[in-house]
């Protein structure tokens, strides 16, 4: 079996982090669906968790860990946008 070359790992991390930001912000700001982005990211990022170990000699635990990390980041972004929107729409008690 082949081992993943070193340039693929940073590329995966850069692309996934940008993908996480874009999907999270579009889902929360444009669509106002706060939990769709974390669910989609968790499902999509776990596809490599199953597929990559079939073809390369790598473990699945690290890939699953990154998928969980990016899902939590997406959840955090969704929560921050939700709290900002909630704070904007609260009536001001003067």
């Amino acid at each position: 079996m082949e081992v993943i070359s070193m340039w693929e790992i940073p590329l995966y991390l850069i692309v996934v982090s940008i993908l996480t930001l874009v999907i999270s912000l579009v889902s929360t700001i444009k669509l106002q669906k706060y939990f769709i982005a974390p669910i989609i990211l968790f499902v999509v990022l776990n596809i490599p968790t199953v597929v990559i170990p079939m073809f390369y000699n790598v473990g699945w635990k690290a890939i699953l860990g990154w998928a969980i990390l990016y899902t939590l980041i997406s959840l955090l972004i969704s929560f921050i946008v939700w709290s900002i929107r909630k704070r904007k729409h609260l009536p001001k008690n003067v």
Side-chain angles (χ1 to χ4, degrees), residues 23-82:
I23 288 177
S24 297
L25 291 175
V26 167
S27 172
T28 56
I29 293 173
K30 290 282 189 183
L31 304 176
Q32 295 182 0
K33 305 287 183 189
Y34 300 105
F35 292 107
I36 294 296
I39 292 170
I40 289 173
L41 283 169
F42 186 72
V43 170
V44 168
L45 293 179
N46 276 317
I47 292 171
T49 303
V50 175
V51 173
I52 290 176
M54 286 183 193
F55 298 107
Y56 297 105
N57 189 16
V58 295
W60 59 271
K61 292 178 184 177
I63 303 170
L64 178 65
W66 283 108
I68 292 171
L69 175 73
Y70 284 122
T71 301
L72 291 175
I73 289 171
S74 176
L75 193 61
L76 180 67
I77 290 170
S78 297
F79 178 72
I80 289 171
V81 171
W82 173 76

